[in-house]
Amino acid sequence: MDKLQVQTIDHVTVVSADFEKSRNFYHGLLGMKEEKRPDFPFPGRWFSAGETMIHLNPQSPEAGKPGWDSGAMDPPRGPHIAFRVSDIDAAAKVISEAGVEIEFGPRSRPDGAAQFYIRDPDGHLIEICNQPS
């Protein structure tokens, strides 16, 4: 079976109930650099530590309610870990041939990167993406 060749952790997405408190934590306390964020259709903030990014997304008003799944309706907005690959199409082919369901995507992001989402064996949401063009 072919394997993906993950290059690095691209980012970890954290759902935030208060962007200013989160900014004070990631930027003010941890010293992460605040980064320019692509023009997504929802609010958020991005921070970096070297090559690794933290993406803050807004907490859903449905959070905490019975049956709520943060990634069920719009996977990019819920908590997830993203792995970078060099060839998104080859990665999608390997995933499909392995019998793993691609839940969302592939699709292009506003910054030119492409992405798709799968789940690991424990149900954690995983994004596979390439570098923005």
Side-chain angles (χ1 to χ4, degrees):
M1 173 171 87
D2 287 336
K3 295 187 275 186
L4 294 183
Q5 293 299 311
V6 169
Q7 298 170 322
T8 188
I9 291 176
D10 186 79
H11 67 271
V12 174
T13 295
V14 176
V15 175
S16 174
D18 185 322
F19 284 149
E20 199 53 37
K21 283 184 182 176
S22 293
R23 182 184 185 281
N24 289 339
F25 178 80
Y26 289 104
H27 179 67
L29 178 63
L30 300 184
M32 296 180 80
K33 181 181 174 194
E34 191 159 11
E35 299 287 349
K36 183 174 177 357
R37 186 175 170 269
D39 191 20
F40 288 106
F42 55 90
R45 298 224 174 149
W46 284 12
F47 301 93
S48 67
E51 291 289 316
T52 302
M53 301 279 293
I54 296 291
H55 294 180
L56 295 182
N57 285 344
Q59 183 171 346
S60 165
E62 300 300 310
K65 293 183 180 173
W68 180 69
D69 176 357
S70 62
M73 296 307 289
D74 190 8
R77 292 182 66 174
H80 63 271
I81 232 172
F83 294 109
R84 188 182 313 150
V85 297
S86 60
D87 186 332
I88 199 75
D89 294 325
K93 182 177 184 223
V94 169
I95 292 294
S96 293
E97 288 175 352
V100 175
E101 178 187 357
I102 295 176
E103 286 195 13
F104 187 82
R107 73 168 193 181
S108 294
R109 295 188 328 209
D111 62 356
Q115 63 189 169
F116 65 85
Y117 291 81
I118 60 176
R119 293 205 182 258
D120 77 2
D122 294 302
H124 301 111
L125 192 62
I126 306 293
E127 175 184 340
I128 306 296
C129 64
N130 62 358
Q131 271 290 53
S133 53

mmCIF file of all heavy atoms in Angstrom, residues 23-63:
data_model
loop_
_atom_site.group_PDB
_atom_site.id
_atom_site.type_symbol
_atom_site.label_atom_id
_atom_site.label_comp_id
_atom_site.label_asym_id
_atom_site.label_seq_id
_atom_site.Cartn_x
_atom_site.Cartn_y
_atom_site.Cartn_z
ATOM 1 N N ARG A 23 -6.000 35.640 22.043
ATOM 2 C CA ARG A 23 -4.879 36.420 21.513
ATOM 3 C C ARG A 23 -3.902 36.757 22.630
ATOM 4 O O ARG A 23 -2.688 36.648 22.466
ATOM 5 C CB ARG A 23 -5.373 37.698 20.853
ATOM 6 C CG ARG A 23 -4.249 38.523 20.253
ATOM 7 C CD ARG A 23 -4.758 39.857 19.672
ATOM 8 N NE ARG A 23 -3.694 40.557 19.021
ATOM 9 C CZ ARG A 23 -2.758 41.279 19.655
ATOM 10 N NH1 ARG A 23 -2.775 41.381 20.976
ATOM 11 N NH2 ARG A 23 -1.810 41.888 18.977
ATOM 12 N N ASN A 24 -4.436 37.178 23.772
ATOM 13 C CA ASN A 24 -3.570 37.490 24.908
ATOM 14 C C ASN A 24 -2.753 36.269 25.338
ATOM 15 O O ASN A 24 -1.599 36.409 25.750
ATOM 16 C CB ASN A 24 -4.381 38.023 26.084
ATOM 17 C CG ASN A 24 -4.916 39.417 25.833
ATOM 18 O OD1 ASN A 24 -4.408 40.150 24.985
ATOM 19 N ND2 ASN A 24 -5.966 39.781 26.549
ATOM 20 N N PHE A 25 -3.332 35.081 25.240
ATOM 21 C CA PHE A 25 -2.637 33.864 25.618
ATOM 22 C C PHE A 25 -1.568 33.496 24.582
ATOM 23 O O PHE A 25 -0.386 33.377 24.911
ATOM 24 C CB PHE A 25 -3.635 32.713 25.782
ATOM 25 C CG PHE A 25 -2.990 31.405 26.134
ATOM 26 C CD1 PHE A 25 -2.611 31.143 27.443
ATOM 27 C CD2 PHE A 25 -2.760 30.445 25.165
ATOM 28 C CE1 PHE A 25 -1.997 29.937 27.772
ATOM 29 C CE2 PHE A 25 -2.157 29.246 25.483
ATOM 30 C CZ PHE A 25 -1.775 28.979 26.787
ATOM 31 N N TYR A 26 -1.981 33.300 23.318
ATOM 32 C CA TYR A 26 -1.056 32.815 22.291
ATOM 33 C C TYR A 26 -0.003 33.864 21.899
ATOM 34 O O TYR A 26 1.162 33.534 21.717
ATOM 35 C CB TYR A 26 -1.816 32.326 21.052
ATOM 36 C CG TYR A 26 -2.543 31.037 21.307
ATOM 37 C CD1 TYR A 26 -3.915 31.023 21.501
ATOM 38 C CD2 TYR A 26 -1.860 29.832 21.384
ATOM 39 C CE1 TYR A 26 -4.593 29.836 21.760
ATOM 40 C CE2 TYR A 26 -2.523 28.642 21.648
ATOM 41 C CZ TYR A 26 -3.889 28.656 21.832
ATOM 42 O OH TYR A 26 -4.545 27.486 22.092
ATOM 43 N N HIS A 27 -0.425 35.106 21.772
ATOM 44 C CA HIS A 27 0.494 36.175 21.364
ATOM 45 C C HIS A 27 1.160 36.825 22.577
ATOM 46 O O HIS A 27 2.383 36.920 22.648
ATOM 47 C CB HIS A 27 -0.271 37.219 20.536
ATOM 48 C CG HIS A 27 0.548 38.377 20.091
ATOM 49 N ND1 HIS A 27 1.572 38.257 19.180
ATOM 50 C CD2 HIS A 27 0.499 39.681 20.442
ATOM 51 C CE1 HIS A 27 2.114 39.448 18.991
ATOM 52 N NE2 HIS A 27 1.482 40.330 19.747
ATOM 53 N N GLY A 28 0.344 37.260 23.541
ATOM 54 C CA GLY A 28 0.859 37.994 24.682
ATOM 55 C C GLY A 28 1.680 37.155 25.640
ATOM 56 O O GLY A 28 2.757 37.565 26.064
ATOM 57 N N LEU A 29 1.196 35.965 25.978
ATOM 58 C CA LEU A 29 1.888 35.122 26.944
ATOM 59 C C LEU A 29 2.908 34.191 26.286
ATOM 60 O O LEU A 29 4.055 34.120 26.704
ATOM 61 C CB LEU A 29 0.875 34.295 27.741
ATOM 62 C CG LEU A 29 1.458 33.329 28.770
ATOM 63 C CD1 LEU A 29 2.209 34.100 29.861
ATOM 64 C CD2 LEU A 29 0.360 32.474 29.365
ATOM 65 N N LEU A 30 2.493 33.473 25.250
ATOM 66 C CA LEU A 30 3.382 32.502 24.615
ATOM 67 C C LEU A 30 4.326 33.124 23.593
ATOM 68 O O LEU A 30 5.268 32.466 23.150
ATOM 69 C CB LEU A 30 2.571 31.380 23.957
ATOM 70 C CG LEU A 30 1.669 30.560 24.878
ATOM 71 C CD1 LEU A 30 1.011 29.435 24.098
ATOM 72 C CD2 LEU A 30 2.443 30.013 26.070
ATOM 73 N N GLY A 31 4.066 34.362 23.200
ATOM 74 C CA GLY A 31 4.960 35.053 22.274
ATOM 75 C C GLY A 31 4.855 34.614 20.830
ATOM 76 O O GLY A 31 5.758 34.857 20.034
ATOM 77 N N MET A 32 3.741 33.986 20.470
ATOM 78 C CA MET A 32 3.558 33.581 19.074
ATOM 79 C C MET A 32 3.279 34.815 18.227
ATOM 80 O O MET A 32 2.668 35.773 18.687
ATOM 81 C CB MET A 32 2.425 32.560 18.960
ATOM 82 C CG MET A 32 2.723 31.261 19.695
ATOM 83 S SD MET A 32 1.390 30.049 19.574
ATOM 84 C CE MET A 32 1.726 29.401 17.931
ATOM 85 N N LYS A 33 3.710 34.764 16.982
ATOM 86 C CA LYS A 33 3.520 35.878 16.058
ATOM 87 C C LYS A 33 2.107 35.827 15.475
ATOM 88 O O LYS A 33 1.652 34.778 15.017
ATOM 89 C CB LYS A 33 4.540 35.784 14.925
ATOM 90 C CG LYS A 33 4.449 36.886 13.920
ATOM 91 C CD LYS A 33 5.479 36.696 12.819
ATOM 92 C CE LYS A 33 5.271 37.745 11.747
ATOM 93 N NZ LYS A 33 6.007 37.405 10.527
ATOM 94 N N GLU A 34 1.402 36.966 15.512
ATOM 95 C CA GLU A 34 0.079 37.018 14.883
ATOM 96 C C GLU A 34 0.280 37.147 13.376
ATOM 97 O O GLU A 34 1.066 37.969 12.914
ATOM 98 C CB GLU A 34 -0.748 38.176 15.419
ATOM 99 C CG GLU A 34 -2.194 38.104 14.985
ATOM 100 C CD GLU A 34 -3.133 38.902 15.862
ATOM 101 O OE1 GLU A 34 -2.672 39.684 16.703
ATOM 102 O OE2 GLU A 34 -4.350 38.732 15.676
ATOM 103 N N GLU A 35 -0.425 36.308 12.621
ATOM 104 C CA GLU A 35 -0.255 36.233 11.162
ATOM 105 C C GLU A 35 -1.473 36.766 10.437
ATOM 106 O O GLU A 35 -2.582 36.730 10.969
ATOM 107 C CB GLU A 35 -0.037 34.769 10.737
ATOM 108 C CG GLU A 35 1.186 34.119 11.327
ATOM 109 C CD GLU A 35 2.481 34.617 10.710
ATOM 110 O OE1 GLU A 35 2.456 35.319 9.680
ATOM 111 O OE2 GLU A 35 3.552 34.282 11.268
ATOM 112 N N LYS A 36 -1.259 37.207 9.204
ATOM 113 C CA LYS A 36 -2.371 37.611 8.336
ATOM 114 C C LYS A 36 -3.170 36.353 8.002
ATOM 115 O O LYS A 36 -2.607 35.306 7.729
ATOM 116 C CB LYS A 36 -1.834 38.258 7.069
ATOM 117 C CG LYS A 36 -2.920 38.757 6.148
ATOM 118 C CD LYS A 36 -2.318 39.519 4.985
ATOM 119 C CE LYS A 36 -3.284 40.014 3.957
ATOM 120 N NZ LYS A 36 -4.651 39.746 4.017
ATOM 121 N N ARG A 37 -4.478 36.478 8.042
ATOM 122 C CA ARG A 37 -5.381 35.359 7.797
ATOM 123 C C ARG A 37 -6.084 35.556 6.465
ATOM 124 O O ARG A 37 -6.503 36.668 6.147
ATOM 125 C CB ARG A 37 -6.397 35.316 8.945
ATOM 126 C CG ARG A 37 -7.322 34.155 8.939
ATOM 127 C CD ARG A 37 -8.178 34.212 10.222
ATOM 128 N NE ARG A 37 -9.231 33.257 10.164
ATOM 129 C CZ ARG A 37 -10.443 33.492 9.676
ATOM 130 N NH1 ARG A 37 -10.764 34.685 9.224
ATOM 131 N NH2 ARG A 37 -11.347 32.537 9.646
ATOM 132 N N PRO A 38 -6.238 34.490 5.656
ATOM 133 C CA PRO A 38 -6.990 34.622 4.401
ATOM 134 C C PRO A 38 -8.418 35.092 4.666
ATOM 135 O O PRO A 38 -8.924 35.008 5.788
ATOM 136 C CB PRO A 38 -6.983 33.211 3.813
ATOM 137 C CG PRO A 38 -5.825 32.542 4.457
ATOM 138 C CD PRO A 38 -5.713 33.148 5.835
ATOM 139 N N ASP A 39 -9.079 35.530 3.629
ATOM 140 C CA ASP A 39 -10.420 36.088 3.731
ATOM 141 C C ASP A 39 -11.480 34.983 3.777
ATOM 142 O O ASP A 39 -12.273 34.826 2.849
ATOM 143 C CB ASP A 39 -10.661 37.034 2.557
ATOM 144 C CG ASP A 39 -11.923 37.845 2.722
ATOM 145 O OD1 ASP A 39 -12.409 37.986 3.858
ATOM 146 O OD2 ASP A 39 -12.436 38.341 1.701
ATOM 147 N N PHE A 40 -11.490 34.217 4.874
ATOM 148 C CA PHE A 40 -12.508 33.188 5.057
ATOM 149 C C PHE A 40 -13.841 33.861 5.377
ATOM 150 O O PHE A 40 -13.866 34.989 5.874
ATOM 151 C CB PHE A 40 -12.133 32.246 6.212
ATOM 152 C CG PHE A 40 -10.990 31.331 5.889
ATOM 153 C CD1 PHE A 40 -9.741 31.551 6.427
ATOM 154 C CD2 PHE A 40 -11.169 30.235 5.063
ATOM 155 C CE1 PHE A 40 -8.683 30.708 6.146
ATOM 156 C CE2 PHE A 40 -10.130 29.389 4.764
ATOM 157 C CZ PHE A 40 -8.879 29.624 5.310
ATOM 158 N N PRO A 41 -14.968 33.164 5.145
ATOM 159 C CA PRO A 41 -16.283 33.770 5.393
ATOM 160 C C PRO A 41 -16.716 33.708 6.861
ATOM 161 O O PRO A 41 -17.893 33.779 7.154
ATOM 162 C CB PRO A 41 -17.214 32.948 4.495
ATOM 163 C CG PRO A 41 -16.570 31.610 4.428
ATOM 164 C CD PRO A 41 -15.081 31.881 4.455
ATOM 165 N N PHE A 42 -15.786 33.560 7.772
ATOM 166 C CA PHE A 42 -16.076 33.541 9.205
ATOM 167 C C PHE A 42 -14.866 34.135 9.923
ATOM 168 O O PHE A 42 -13.761 34.146 9.387
ATOM 169 C CB PHE A 42 -16.384 32.118 9.702
ATOM 170 C CG PHE A 42 -15.313 31.116 9.383
ATOM 171 C CD1 PHE A 42 -14.262 30.887 10.273
ATOM 172 C CD2 PHE A 42 -15.348 30.397 8.199
ATOM 173 C CE1 PHE A 42 -13.272 29.976 9.974
ATOM 174 C CE2 PHE A 42 -14.354 29.477 7.890
ATOM 175 C CZ PHE A 42 -13.319 29.264 8.779
ATOM 176 N N PRO A 43 -15.054 34.664 11.136
ATOM 177 C CA PRO A 43 -13.946 35.308 11.840
ATOM 178 C C PRO A 43 -12.925 34.300 12.360
ATOM 179 O O PRO A 43 -13.216 33.104 12.451
ATOM 180 C CB PRO A 43 -14.634 36.021 13.007
ATOM 181 C CG PRO A 43 -15.879 35.254 13.231
ATOM 182 C CD PRO A 43 -16.301 34.717 11.886
ATOM 183 N N GLY A 44 -11.755 34.783 12.688
ATOM 184 C CA GLY A 44 -10.715 33.943 13.248
ATOM 185 C C GLY A 44 -9.416 34.700 13.372
ATOM 186 O O GLY A 44 -9.316 35.867 12.949
ATOM 187 N N ARG A 45 -8.423 34.066 13.951
ATOM 188 C CA ARG A 45 -7.075 34.627 14.090
ATOM 189 C C ARG A 45 -6.070 33.501 13.887
ATOM 190 O O ARG A 45 -6.335 32.364 14.263
ATOM 191 C CB ARG A 45 -6.882 35.234 15.474
ATOM 192 C CG ARG A 45 -7.835 36.380 15.744
ATOM 193 C CD ARG A 45 -7.100 37.503 16.382
ATOM 194 N NE ARG A 45 -7.970 38.661 16.512
ATOM 195 C CZ ARG A 45 -7.872 39.527 17.482
ATOM 196 N NH1 ARG A 45 -6.960 39.393 18.413
ATOM 197 N NH2 ARG A 45 -8.671 40.567 17.520
ATOM 198 N N TRP A 46 -4.909 33.856 13.324
ATOM 199 C CA TRP A 46 -3.841 32.887 13.119
ATOM 200 C C TRP A 46 -2.595 33.356 13.843
ATOM 201 O O TRP A 46 -2.274 34.549 13.856
ATOM 202 C CB TRP A 46 -3.526 32.742 11.643
ATOM 203 C CG TRP A 46 -4.514 31.943 10.851
ATOM 204 C CD1 TRP A 46 -5.762 31.529 11.227
ATOM 205 C CD2 TRP A 46 -4.335 31.468 9.510
ATOM 206 N NE1 TRP A 46 -6.355 30.830 10.208
ATOM 207 C CE2 TRP A 46 -5.506 30.779 9.143
ATOM 208 C CE3 TRP A 46 -3.305 31.557 8.590
ATOM 209 C CZ2 TRP A 46 -5.665 30.180 7.897
ATOM 210 C CZ3 TRP A 46 -3.455 30.971 7.350
ATOM 211 C CH2 TRP A 46 -4.631 30.282 7.015
ATOM 212 N N PHE A 47 -1.854 32.392 14.433
ATOM 213 C CA PHE A 47 -0.604 32.656 15.125
ATOM 214 C C PHE A 47 0.424 31.619 14.683
ATOM 215 O O PHE A 47 0.057 30.498 14.323
ATOM 216 C CB PHE A 47 -0.798 32.562 16.644
ATOM 217 C CG PHE A 47 -1.829 33.514 17.165
ATOM 218 C CD1 PHE A 47 -3.143 33.129 17.303
ATOM 219 C CD2 PHE A 47 -1.482 34.819 17.483
ATOM 220 C CE1 PHE A 47 -4.110 34.019 17.756
ATOM 221 C CE2 PHE A 47 -2.441 35.716 17.937
ATOM 222 C CZ PHE A 47 -3.751 35.315 18.068
ATOM 223 N N SER A 48 1.709 31.988 14.732
ATOM 224 C CA SER A 48 2.755 31.043 14.352
ATOM 225 C C SER A 48 3.838 30.960 15.409
ATOM 226 O O SER A 48 4.119 31.928 16.118
ATOM 227 C CB SER A 48 3.375 31.435 13.009
ATOM 228 O OG SER A 48 4.082 32.661 13.119
ATOM 229 N N ALA A 49 4.427 29.775 15.461
ATOM 230 C CA ALA A 49 5.634 29.513 16.241
ATOM 231 C C ALA A 49 6.543 28.738 15.301
ATOM 232 O O ALA A 49 6.321 27.547 15.064
ATOM 233 C CB ALA A 49 5.322 28.704 17.492
ATOM 234 N N GLY A 50 7.491 29.420 14.693
ATOM 235 C CA GLY A 50 8.301 28.782 13.655
ATOM 236 C C GLY A 50 7.413 28.447 12.472
ATOM 237 O O GLY A 50 6.667 29.283 11.987
ATOM 238 N N GLU A 51 7.463 27.198 12.047
ATOM 239 C CA GLU A 51 6.661 26.750 10.911
ATOM 240 C C GLU A 51 5.256 26.298 11.312
ATOM 241 O O GLU A 51 4.411 26.072 10.460
ATOM 242 C CB GLU A 51 7.367 25.579 10.203
ATOM 243 C CG GLU A 51 8.626 25.975 9.482
ATOM 244 C CD GLU A 51 8.336 26.808 8.246
ATOM 245 O OE1 GLU A 51 7.420 26.465 7.475
ATOM 246 O OE2 GLU A 51 9.049 27.809 8.058
ATOM 247 N N THR A 52 5.006 26.133 12.610
ATOM 248 C CA THR A 52 3.717 25.606 13.070
ATOM 249 C C THR A 52 2.741 26.744 13.343
ATOM 250 O O THR A 52 3.094 27.750 13.945
ATOM 251 C CB THR A 52 3.907 24.757 14.334
ATOM 252 O OG1 THR A 52 4.824 23.699 14.036
ATOM 253 C CG2 THR A 52 2.596 24.157 14.802
ATOM 254 N N MET A 53 1.523 26.544 12.907
ATOM 255 C CA MET A 53 0.480 27.554 13.067
ATOM 256 C C MET A 53 -0.593 27.066 14.044
ATOM 257 O O MET A 53 -0.884 25.879 14.131
ATOM 258 C CB MET A 53 -0.199 27.838 11.724
ATOM 259 C CG MET A 53 0.711 28.329 10.634
ATOM 260 S SD MET A 53 1.066 30.072 10.748
ATOM 261 C CE MET A 53 -0.528 30.773 10.408
ATOM 262 N N ILE A 54 -1.184 28.032 14.743
ATOM 263 C CA ILE A 54 -2.403 27.814 15.520
ATOM 264 C C ILE A 54 -3.475 28.661 14.849
ATOM 265 O O ILE A 54 -3.264 29.862 14.637
ATOM 266 C CB ILE A 54 -2.247 28.267 17.000
ATOM 267 C CG1 ILE A 54 -1.195 27.425 17.717
ATOM 268 C CG2 ILE A 54 -3.591 28.222 17.730
ATOM 269 C CD1 ILE A 54 -1.588 25.993 17.964
ATOM 270 N N HIS A 55 -4.578 28.057 14.452
ATOM 271 C CA HIS A 55 -5.701 28.772 13.861
ATOM 272 C C HIS A 55 -6.809 28.825 14.897
ATOM 273 O O HIS A 55 -7.238 27.784 15.399
ATOM 274 C CB HIS A 55 -6.221 28.059 12.613
ATOM 275 C CG HIS A 55 -5.251 28.043 11.477
ATOM 276 N ND1 HIS A 55 -5.570 27.443 10.268
ATOM 277 C CD2 HIS A 55 -4.001 28.529 11.336
ATOM 278 C CE1 HIS A 55 -4.549 27.581 9.434
ATOM 279 N NE2 HIS A 55 -3.583 28.222 10.073
ATOM 280 N N LEU A 56 -7.281 30.019 15.220
ATOM 281 C CA LEU A 56 -8.417 30.171 16.132
ATOM 282 C C LEU A 56 -9.673 30.373 15.304
ATOM 283 O O LEU A 56 -9.716 31.247 14.442
ATOM 284 C CB LEU A 56 -8.233 31.385 17.040
ATOM 285 C CG LEU A 56 -7.092 31.366 18.029
ATOM 286 C CD1 LEU A 56 -7.110 32.648 18.859
ATOM 287 C CD2 LEU A 56 -7.160 30.160 18.933
ATOM 288 N N ASN A 57 -10.672 29.575 15.571
ATOM 289 C CA ASN A 57 -11.972 29.704 14.926
ATOM 290 C C ASN A 57 -13.024 29.961 15.990
ATOM 291 O O ASN A 57 -12.849 29.591 17.145
ATOM 292 C CB ASN A 57 -12.315 28.447 14.131
ATOM 293 C CG ASN A 57 -11.544 28.350 12.839
ATOM 294 O OD1 ASN A 57 -10.969 29.331 12.361
ATOM 295 N ND2 ASN A 57 -11.505 27.184 12.259
ATOM 296 N N PRO A 58 -14.138 30.586 15.616
ATOM 297 C CA PRO A 58 -15.158 30.921 16.610
ATOM 298 C C PRO A 58 -15.892 29.692 17.124
ATOM 299 O O PRO A 58 -16.086 28.713 16.409
ATOM 300 C CB PRO A 58 -16.107 31.834 15.842
ATOM 301 C CG PRO A 58 -15.937 31.449 14.416
ATOM 302 C CD PRO A 58 -14.510 31.012 14.270
ATOM 303 N N GLN A 59 -16.294 29.778 18.371
ATOM 304 C CA GLN A 59 -17.106 28.722 18.966
ATOM 305 C C GLN A 59 -18.513 28.794 18.389
ATOM 306 O O GLN A 59 -19.098 29.866 18.273
ATOM 307 C CB GLN A 59 -17.168 28.889 20.479
ATOM 308 C CG GLN A 59 -17.935 27.798 21.174
ATOM 309 C CD GLN A 59 -17.791 27.880 22.674
ATOM 310 O OE1 GLN A 59 -16.945 28.577 23.192
ATOM 311 N NE2 GLN A 59 -18.630 27.159 23.379
ATOM 312 N N SER A 60 -19.051 27.663 18.024
ATOM 313 C CA SER A 60 -20.401 27.591 17.485
ATOM 314 C C SER A 60 -21.418 27.852 18.586
ATOM 315 O O SER A 60 -21.231 27.428 19.723
ATOM 316 C CB SER A 60 -20.632 26.197 16.901
ATOM 317 O OG SER A 60 -21.995 25.972 16.673
ATOM 318 N N PRO A 61 -22.532 28.524 18.255
ATOM 319 C CA PRO A 61 -23.580 28.689 19.253
ATOM 320 C C PRO A 61 -24.190 27.357 19.677
ATOM 321 O O PRO A 61 -24.847 27.259 20.698
ATOM 322 C CB PRO A 61 -24.615 29.579 18.567
ATOM 323 C CG PRO A 61 -24.237 29.653 17.146
ATOM 324 C CD PRO A 61 -22.830 29.175 17.011
ATOM 325 N N GLU A 62 -23.940 26.294 18.897
ATOM 326 C CA GLU A 62 -24.451 24.960 19.218
ATOM 327 C C GLU A 62 -23.521 24.205 20.166
ATOM 328 O O GLU A 62 -23.873 23.129 20.643
ATOM 329 C CB GLU A 62 -24.632 24.146 17.933
ATOM 330 C CG GLU A 62 -25.599 24.771 16.940
ATOM 331 C CD GLU A 62 -26.995 24.926 17.535
ATOM 332 O OE1 GLU A 62 -27.520 23.952 18.094
ATOM 333 O OE2 GLU A 62 -27.548 26.029 17.442
ATOM 334 N N ALA A 63 -22.339 24.755 20.440
ATOM 335 C CA ALA A 63 -21.338 24.053 21.256
ATOM 336 C C ALA A 63 -21.916 23.624 22.598
ATOM 337 O O ALA A 63 -22.606 24.383 23.266
ATOM 338 C CB ALA A 63 -20.123 24.948 21.473
#
